[in-house]
Amino acid sequence: MRECRAGRGGVLLALVILVLLCVPTVLFCVYELLLEKGPSGEDPLIYLAGLALFGGLLVFGVHRVVRGLPYISYHEEKVVIHWNEREETVVPWSEFQQEIQVGPLFPSGIVLTQRNPPQGRGKREISVYPTHRGFRAFQSALEAHGILGGGQWPPDINCEEVFHIFTPDVEKTCVEIAQIISQNEKEVVAAFQEGLAAPQQYLAQQEQRLKSQYPLSKEEMKRCVADPWWLMRDVLEQQQVVCTRDWKDELEDFLFFLFGTKRAKAEGLTLDPRYFGLSRAGDIPEWSRLLNGKLADKGLVVGYLGTEADEYTLFLTTQEELDTLERLAYSIHQIISGFN
């Protein structure tokens, strides 16, 4: 399932700022109330209020992080809103608008509010922002199911415009990502750079293959090849550096295509699912987590590139490389992740 959630780096930064703000203030208030010798001439209620305010804020922040921050997961059939680690709401797309109210959140986010929370529960809502991992893909999913669009999104808020206030060097970053995933294979990097330099020429050369592979109009295909992220994925797949699999993939197909990538062949990986202890009843995230354990002796893990469809673009890499790839992708508002 795809996810839309706050990035680990952002959560950690917010928690550090909260601790740095609240802990000194709480200690100062305690000192003034309990340890300060002699009359200070100030009303102790000020320090009591400060202790309650900043102490409560600190406890609330730590509690939310420990209990689990809310996030959204989804695929083509349903949406799961995870309110915390123990509570979640599962909603089929067909019933989404009856169960969940969707609205804008200034300046460019989305707020989801449960229309009929369980008895004894107050208002429950979750907010997602362009800085969340998977935001654009989730926004596209809402639009595809007719939940956003058609006048429901305020016309004075342009999400894409706000999202790209700080425009990174997307092409340069994508080239760096391609170099890492392909282990700097010159043929792969050169093919990608040629496509970046002349995307319409790339489309003309690959038109027959692209027509059979993607059910898109010519104008849509022109926009795709002009997108460095899309072009990078296509080149890497054609060069057998990555493989794209449907989220409902069969185990044998998953192994066949993943182990057909260049890095897997270089490592001499076997196709026998029994060796890895994989079950046909599982799915790609489960199989990938099991593979990570089996491939630990080779220093490899399974990673994936974010897409806007119910599929995984998979590749093998090292954990160190994956950490670097995650940071690079995040810097251009895309997703590269692993299966933990």
Side-chain angles (χ1 to χ4, degrees):
M1 296 182 74
R2 308 197 67 185
E3 293 183 352
C4 179
R5 65 192 308 165
R8 290 189 295 269
V11 173
L12 181 61
L13 178 61
L15 185 60
V16 168
I17 292 174
L18 187 64
V19 169
L20 292 177
L21 172 67
C22 293
V23 170
T25 307
V26 168
L27 292 177
F28 175 74
C29 291
V30 171
Y31 174 80
E32 287 292 333
L33 286 170
L34 302 179
L35 302 178
E36 177 69 9
K37 305 298 183 182
S40 64
E42 296 181 9
D43 191 341
L45 289 178
I46 295 176
Y47 300 110
L48 285 172
L51 182 61
L53 175 62
F54 288 94
L57 185 61
L58 179 62
V59 170
F60 173 77
V62 173
H63 169 74
R64 287 303 296 268
V65 171
V66 171
R67 195 178 183 194
L69 292 172
Y71 69 96
I72 297 165
S73 60
Y74 62 97
H75 57 59
E76 62 183 12
E77 296 176 356
K78 65 183 180 181
V79 181
V80 183
I81 301 177
H82 305 264
W83 305 107
N84 51 57
E85 284 189 348
R86 292 175 293 180
E87 295 181 283
E88 62 182 35
T89 299
V90 181
V91 185
W93 280 112
S94 59
E95 302 174 10
F96 191 87
Q97 288 181 289
Q98 288 75 38
E99 298 290 334
I100 305 296
Q101 179 180 347
V102 181
L105 187 65
F106 183 83
S108 55
I110 301 172
V111 60
L112 308 180
T113 306
Q114 191 174 20
R115 294 184 185 274
N116 299 299
Q119 189 173 5
R121 289 281 185 183
K123 180 180 178 182
R124 295 209 294 187
E125 63 182 29
I126 178 172
S127 303
V128 292
Y129 298 89
T131 52
H132 279 53
R133 295 171 61 180
F135 174 83
R136 286 201 297 170
F138 181 60
Q139 180 185 342
S140 297
L142 291 173
E143 292 171 351
H145 287 86
I147 297 166
L148 287 184
Q152 295 185 47
W153 194 266
D156 58 329
I157 297 179
N158 186 327
C159 288
E160 290 296 315
E161 184 178 309
V162 175
F163 193 68
H164 292 288
I165 289 176
F166 302 103
T167 304
D169 191 337
V170 176
E171 291 188 2
K172 181 180 178 181
T173 302
C174 285
V175 169
E176 191 172 351
I177 290 171
Q179 289 173 329
I180 295 173
I181 296 178
S182 69
Q183 297 184 284
N184 207 21
E185 185 177 334
K186 292 182 179 179
E187 182 181 351
V188 175
V189 177
F192 179 41
Q193 289 176 322
E194 288 174 7
L196 285 174
Q200 299 313 312
Q201 183 177 337
Y202 179 87
L203 175 58
Q205 293 171 346
Q206 305 287 334
E207 188 169 5
Q208 292 303 317
R209 175 184 64 82
L210 294 173
K211 277 184 179 179
S212 62
Q213 190 171 347
Y214 301 101
L216 300 173
S217 68
K218 192 165 185 177
E219 288 303 314
E220 289 173 325
M221 193 59 68
K222 285 181 179 180
R223 289 195 293 270
C224 284
V225 296
D227 177 359
W229 182 261
W230 189 97
L231 183 65
M232 178 191 70
R233 285 179 45 239
D234 189 66
V235 171
L236 291 178
E237 186 169 7
Q238 293 312 303
Q239 296 286 338
Q240 296 184 315
V241 177
V242 304
C243 64
T244 298
R245 308 306 306 154
D246 187 82
W247 71 278
K248 294 180 178 179
D249 205 16
E250 299 291 336
L251 173 59
E252 288 77 9
D253 292 336
F254 163 75
L255 289 175
F256 177 81
F257 285 97
L258 179 62
F259 288 2
T261 59
K262 290 183 176 179
R263 190 150 192 177
K265 289 179 178 179
E267 296 288 344
L269 299 181
T270 177
L271 283 173
D272 189 350
R274 292 171 297 179
Y275 170 76
F276 295 103
L278 307 183
S279 167
R280 288 183 175 85
D283 56 14
I284 288 178
E286 178 185 333
W287 298 330
S288 298
R289 284 191 289 269
L290 290 171
L291 281 179
N292 288 346
K294 292 291 186 178
L295 297 175
D297 59 331
K298 295 181 179 291
L300 296 175
V301 295
V302 182
Y304 68 90
L305 296 164
T307 72
E308 294 188 357
D310 294 320
E311 60 190 16
Y312 294 94
T313 297
L314 305 163
F315 60 95
L316 292 173
T317 186
T318 66
Q319 186 60 55
E320 183 180 358
E321 289 171 344
L322 184 60
D323 292 340
T324 301
L325 290 167
E326 286 183 351
R327 291 194 297 271
L328 289 171
Y330 185 78
S331 73
I332 56 172
H333 318 304
Q334 296 290 352
I335 295 175
I336 294 180
S337 188
F339 301 90
N340 300 319

